[in-house]
Amino acid sequence: MSHRSIIILPDDTGKEIIDAINNANDSLLIKMFLFSDAELIQAVIAAKQRGVSVKVMLNPARRTGEEENEDTRKLLETAGIEVRDSNPDFTITHEKSMVVDDKVAFIKSLNWEHKNFVETRDYAIITHHPDEVKEVILCFDADWHRKVFEPGDDLKLIWCSNNGRTRIARFIDEAKHTLFVQNERFQDLVIIERIVHAASRGVKVHVMARPPHTLKMDKLVEGVGGLRIMDDVGIKIHKLKHLKLHGKMLLADDCRAIVGSINLSPGSFDHRRELAIEVHDAPVVERLKKIARHDWENSHPLDLSERGLVEDLQDSGQTAIEKLVLDDEPKEKHHNKHHKHHKHKK
């Protein structure tokens, strides 16, 4: 039996996560950025009521100060479940994980919100590998008790702010033929440079991102800049047609992948608690190959020309357009679909 399997949403639904909670015998450790799904709340409460030891760690607020987990916290605490804020050493805890009976860990891109099960492209890796499960438990315990997570040099998983940027950069560097990247944010210059370098050495790179208007205003310059840098060297950048992209996934050479919570941004790498996992398991990779092909076929090119950006950002207001130094009536000088690099690629 493979040590790892995958859930792809919304294709697979949340049944396997619910079933794992319902079948827990001894313990549940849950660390979540956003937790509001009613069915999951009831499943966790039912586990507590049948005698399972349940600990839940919730991110207390977004960067804006908005608190979204307070109602869930009250429901869980009323049921006798111990709930703690995530580790204040991090600006936010964006990790989404669950450990069942100290035997199986779920490492996810999805929040426990209803929309993540029906509206967004999201992923969860289920691992039974003892060393990987142990790492998730060790980090949970460290954050729970406000201690430094010190797993040693032989990290199996990908953690922020431990080894996240290093592992993802090396993963990209080792791509030989193909690289497919799905992520909400392309803002970290180290990772962008690695993706550009992969394309320059002949790797066929496909990028899927969310459109610029979804970026927060204070991240607009670096977010759009990262996309345009990749576009300038001829990397194909698309957006999904029928789903919102929330999953964070890299697939290299159709033989290895990374899945988890990490956005490709400095904030994620340096200031947030994040978790991802690299997998080589053939059944998992095969499913990711199929979903990558499906999503690419059901996507549009992102128009990153000056005109395209103005049109995309119209509802964001004049401030966004001015921030990017865009012309309201662009003359399409250098950022258009007939760029020099596109001509040379004929």
Side-chain angles (χ1 to χ4, degrees), residues 31 95 135-143 149 159 273:
K31 194 188 292 186
E95 174 188 345
E135 266 187 36
V136 181
I137 295 171
L138 286 173
C139 186
F140 188 96
D141 288 343
D143 286 347
F149 174 46
W159 294 96
R273 171 66 79 210

Side-chain angles (χ1 to χ4, degrees), residues 109-120:
S109 67
L110 66 136
N111 292 302
W112 278 4
E113 294 190 292
H114 180 68
K115 68 180 181 181
N116 290 110
F117 294 95
V118 296
E119 297 177 10
T120 65

